[in-house]
Amino acid sequence: MASKVRDYTKLATDILEAVGGETNLAGATHCATRLRLVLHEVPADAKEKISAMAGVITVVESGGQFQVVIGPHVGEVYDAFSALIDSSEVEEVEAPKMSIMNRIIATMSAVFAPFVYILAAAGIIQGILILITLVMPSFPKSGTYQVLSFISWSPFTFLPIFIAITASKHFKTNTLIAVACCAALVSPTWAEMAGTIANGTSINFMGIPLSQTVYTSSVLPPLFLVWILSYLERFLNKKVPEIIKELVVPLLCLLIMVPLTILIIGPLSSLGAEGIAKGYNYLVTVAPPLAGVIIGGFWQVLVIFGIHWGVTPMVMANFKMNGMDSFQAFQTIAVVAQVGAVLGVFIKSKNKELKNISLSAFITGLFGITEPAIYGVTLRFKKPFIFGCISGAVGALITSFFNSNYFAYAGLPSLLTIVNAISPKIPSSFIGMVIGCSVAIIGSVMLVQIFGTGETVSEVATMEAQLDDAPTKVAPVLSAPIINAPGVVNSPVTGKVIALTEVKDEVFASGAMGKGVAVDPTDNKIYAPFNGQIVMTTDTQHAIGLKADDGVEVLIHIGMDTVELKGKYFSTQVKDQDYVKMGDLLVEFDQEKIKAAGFSVVTPVIVTNSDDYEDVIAYTQNEIHHGEPIMELIPKGGK
């Protein structure tokens, strides 16, 4: 859960430190909501540390990237992050090995994310022109319309140049050379030549016939051009003498890459994108309801893993071939459904903090940015995310019967872009979008009202408890229900609960040291079970004692006979007399190495002043997360 970010430099500095510093960084970029990092190695605790930072919604590792989900402030954080690193040094290091699929996903994200808002802005202008034309049929004949129209189409016409800029940074090649090559592809002269070829006139280059492929609004041809250019430029930089390099390298790159693209790279890559688009269109033609259900129901799952940019070439190919695209219509339904789910949580929940987060996520969702809704609310509580997927599938299913399409590209499909579905040629298109979106948003809201938000009482307490610390810190794990209440001891570690009598140590099992419970850890960290003071640490670091603000005294003993390790495999993060808050990290340990050394890591949690209480009741759940209540103390004389 993210709070407002005011000190972007501090957050950027903390993130850089948590991922291992600049030497561990192979690349950095950002999209609408995520800081996307490529690391040589992911530090073991980086994900948890960064997830706990104020201003961070969550962390996702996907597509070979370490993705820090921040939300609308990601641009400011990225700027601050960039100021902390030497980009030239980062560009020289080699990114870690990734699978082919992960590399494709990472490339699509790095190339399209930086200019998606430009395309979104252009798409909104086109939508506005559509609305004005409905009211004023003569408007398209005016000069005002013509100016606004060419403004809105310019980013799409010259899309290869945008790709040249971002792809050159991703592939680490000279941006100006890449722009020069891609500018040649969208030259009006080439468009005229391609038109001549299309009309039957043969034009050859060095005896090789040219194809009629046009590259305005194209995606894959410029992308492959820049990729191959990166290898060519590096080769030439090594071979060309320094004294003539500044002139000869750009010269050779232009003379080689532009003809190579219009002869081979362009026609082949365009066929590939068009082939994928035709395959999707075949599915829509044969079984439009199936296509609707798949995209409406599962699109947001792709967003979770950050791999949604991969469909961009197909969508652009659809617009280029047909002047319309149904994929974005179904995609919009999926987005609207998640927006409806988060609105449902806002209406249903009685938790003030959750309502605030839901309202903020709802507003950003209206603009097609659903990560805050997904990570901050719907996926966190699971039920709303599932309801959104169900409603999205049903809404898209209904829309599929109306032959709904987008007739203008939407950079960020959302409720605000459904006007892109308006077309005099297919009147039912917009009607289908309105009905589908209505079903998606109302369905999600109603499902949440009927079946609940998925939040528990302890999770409500978690979020309320975090309000006090929100400007500086957040609970270490988003899903941990943290509550600091008098008479309650929370689990200091995640794992399986074991009755104290089952512990294989007579002193603990007999209750001689006090009443309590034990946990067989599945994690390597011990956290403060309440607000209080550290009253005892040991040189061997295997045990720690605390006293809560309300007087309860607790001993946490990590493992059996682990004193014999003499501190090996343990790292205590606090010292005697330190004051700690619920959820603060106390001790880190390596349970695998401890077990390999022949010791049990079963951890008793003992109330050492049990005699001061009428009873100590241990909760009996099988699995427990650190921060969840594990014992309740009954004061003498009753509750």
Side-chain angles (χ1 to χ4, degrees):
M1 177 178 63
S3 60
K4 282 190 175 181
V5 183
R6 295 182 178 86
D7 193 341
Y8 302 115
T9 300
K10 182 181 185 304
L11 178 57
T13 302
D14 291 343
I15 291 173
L16 183 60
E17 180 182 349
V19 298
E22 186 173 352
T23 58
N24 192 40
L25 188 66
T29 185
H30 76 93
C31 61
T33 57
R34 310 179 192 203
L35 181 63
R36 295 170 177 264
L37 308 178
V38 179
L39 307 177
H40 292 294
E41 294 182 359
V42 179
D45 58 349
K47 187 173 182 179
E48 185 175 74
K49 280 184 178 179
I50 296 174
S51 294
M53 295 177 184
V56 173
I57 296 173
T58 190
V59 173
V60 178
E61 293 181 68
S62 177
Q65 295 179 333
F66 188 85
Q67 303 173 10
V68 184
V69 184
I70 293 170
H73 298 289
V74 68
E76 291 94 331
V77 177
Y78 175 75
D79 290 342
F81 190 88
S82 298
L84 298 173
I85 61 176
D86 185 342
S87 59
S88 62
E89 292 296 322
V90 171
E91 289 176 357
E92 288 176 5
V93 297
E94 184 179 353
K97 297 295 183 182
M98 294 186 287
S99 68
I100 293 176
M101 181 56 67
N102 281 346
R103 277 183 282 177
I104 291 173
I105 292 167
T107 297
M108 290 297 179
S109 172
V111 170
F112 296 112
F115 58 77
V116 65
Y117 283 117
I118 303 297
L119 301 184
I124 289 173
I125 295 175
Q126 292 178 21
I128 292 172
L129 292 177
I130 291 172
L131 290 176
I132 296 176
T133 301
L134 287 175
V135 179
M136 302 170 55
S138 62
F139 183 60
K141 298 179 181 179
S142 68
T144 301
Y145 176 94
Q146 293 175 42
V147 170
L148 293 177
S149 180
F150 83 69
I151 289 174
S152 70
W153 281 107
S154 292
F156 300 99
T157 301
F158 298 102
L159 186 60
I161 294 179
F162 285 92
I163 292 173
I165 295 170
T166 55
S168 65
K169 294 179 180 179
H170 179 70
F171 293 122
K172 302 176 179 59
T173 191
N174 187 295
T175 298
L176 294 178
I177 297 176
V179 168
C181 292
C182 289
L185 298 183
V186 294
S187 166
T189 302
W190 170 248
E192 292 174 5
M193 293 173 64
T196 301
I197 296 170
N199 290 329
T201 302
S202 176
I203 301 178
N204 298 327
F205 177 78
M206 299 183 70
I208 305 173
L210 298 174
S211 73
Q212 63 189 44
T213 306
V214 178
Y215 299 105
T216 52
S217 303
S218 64
V219 172
L220 292 185
L223 189 58
F224 279 108
L225 183 157
V226 178
W227 177 47
I228 297 173
L229 172 66
S230 67
Y231 290 97
L232 174 62
E233 187 196 2
R234 281 194 285 272
F235 173 79
L236 293 175
N237 280 329
K238 292 177 182 178
K239 300 298 182 180
V240 176
E242 194 69 33
I243 192 170
I244 59 173
K245 183 181 295 184
E246 294 290 336
L247 174 62
V248 172
V249 170
L251 173 64
L252 293 177
C253 286
L254 280 166
L255 290 176
I256 294 172
M257 289 310 307
V258 176
L260 182 64
T261 301
I262 61 177
L263 287 171
I264 300 174
I265 298 173
L268 290 179
S269 57
S270 292
L271 285 175
E274 291 173 5
I276 296 172
K278 287 178 180 177
Y280 164 75
N281 293 334
Y282 177 76
L283 174 63
V284 174
T285 302
V286 174
L290 177 60
V293 169
I294 292 173
I295 299 166
F298 296 98
W299 172 252
Q300 292 299 312
V301 177
L302 298 184
V303 175
I304 292 174
F305 296 104
I307 60 178
H308 46 303
W309 297 106
V311 304
T312 302
M314 180 197 75
V315 171
M316 296 303 297
N318 256 343
F319 278 108
K320 185 177 180 180
M321 291 188 301
N322 309 314
M324 61 183 183
D325 171 65
S326 63
F327 190 97
Q328 285 207 315
F330 296 140
Q331 181 184 351
T332 299
I333 304 293
V335 170
V336 168
Q338 286 299 319
V339 173
V342 82
L343 176 62
V345 173
F346 170 76
I347 296 170
K348 180 75 171 178
S349 179
K350 299 185 183 302
N351 178 7
K352 181 179 178 181
E353 176 68 356
L354 180 55
K355 289 178 80 71
N356 290 339
I357 295 169
S358 300
L359 180 60
S360 175
F362 170 73
I363 294 171
T364 57
L366 290 177
F367 294 91
I369 303 171
T370 54
E371 282 92 340
I374 293 172
Y375 293 117
V377 183
T378 62
L379 189 62
R380 175 178 181 180
F381 297 108
K382 298 182 180 64
K383 277 187 178 181
F385 182 78
I386 295 172
F387 297 155
C389 290
I390 293 172
S391 299
V394 175
L397 172 66
I398 294 172
T399 299
S400 69
F401 293 107
F402 290 83
N403 193 20
S404 294
N405 285 268
Y406 266 22
F407 299 90
Y409 181 84
L412 293 171
S414 68
L415 197 62
L416 302 181
T417 67
I418 64 171
V419 294
N420 292 16
I422 297 175
S423 172
K425 296 180 180 179
I426 310 178
S428 63
S429 174
F430 182 65
I431 296 173
M433 284 302 302
V434 172
I435 296 175
C437 286
S438 300
V439 169
I441 195 168
I442 295 173
S444 294
V445 171
M446 294 308 298
L447 285 173
V448 172
Q449 306 314 301
I450 296 170
F451 297 104
T453 64
E455 58 183 322
T456 64
V457 174
S458 57
E459 283 171 318
V460 172
T462 297
M463 303 183 79
E464 291 174 345
Q466 289 170 349
L467 279 172
D468 294 335
D469 294 336
T472 56
K473 65 182 291 186
V474 183
V477 178
L478 289 176
S479 61
I482 296 176
I483 177 172
N484 182 68
V488 173
V489 175
N490 300 291
S491 179
V493 64
T494 299
K496 180 181 179 181
V497 179
I498 297 174
L500 199 60
T501 54
E502 297 178 12
V503 173
K504 296 179 180 179
D505 183 287
E506 291 185 9
V507 175
F508 289 119
S510 66
M513 295 193 65
K515 297 179 180 179
V517 71
V519 180
D520 188 2
T522 56
D523 193 11
N524 290 319
K525 294 179 175 62
I526 301 294
Y527 299 92
F530 43 59
N531 293 351
Q533 190 173 39
I534 304 297
V535 295
M536 185 271 294
T537 57
T538 64
D539 293 337
T540 52
Q541 305 186 76
H542 72 292
I544 192 165
L546 306 91
K547 184 175 182 178
D549 291 341
D550 62 356
V552 62
E553 297 174 9
V554 167
L555 171 69
I556 304 169
H557 192 283
I558 308 169
M560 299 291 105
D561 300 319
T562 46
V563 65
E564 297 179 17
L565 291 171
K566 299 180 180 179
K568 195 174 182 181
Y569 311 134
F570 293 91
S571 176
T572 302
Q573 306 296 310
V574 292
K575 59 183 183 298
D576 288 354
Q577 306 307 312
D578 278 355
Y579 184 82
V580 296
K581 287 189 175 183
M582 170 64 216
D584 284 352
L585 180 63
L586 304 181
V587 182
E588 292 183 283
F589 60 98
D590 191 328
Q591 63 169 294
E592 295 302 323
K593 292 182 179 179
I594 293 172
K595 290 178 180 178
F599 297 91
S600 168
V601 292
V602 170
T603 300
V605 183
I606 307 297
V607 178
T608 53
N609 61 338
S610 298
D611 291 341
D612 295 343
Y613 297 88
E614 185 73 29
D615 198 3
V616 175
I617 301 174
Y619 295 158
T620 57
Q621 67 264 47
N622 186 36
E623 302 291 336
I624 198 164
H625 196 287
H626 80 81
E628 292 180 336
I630 196 170
M631 286 185 287
E632 182 179 356
L633 310 176
I634 307 301
K636 289 186 176 180
K639 293 188 178 181

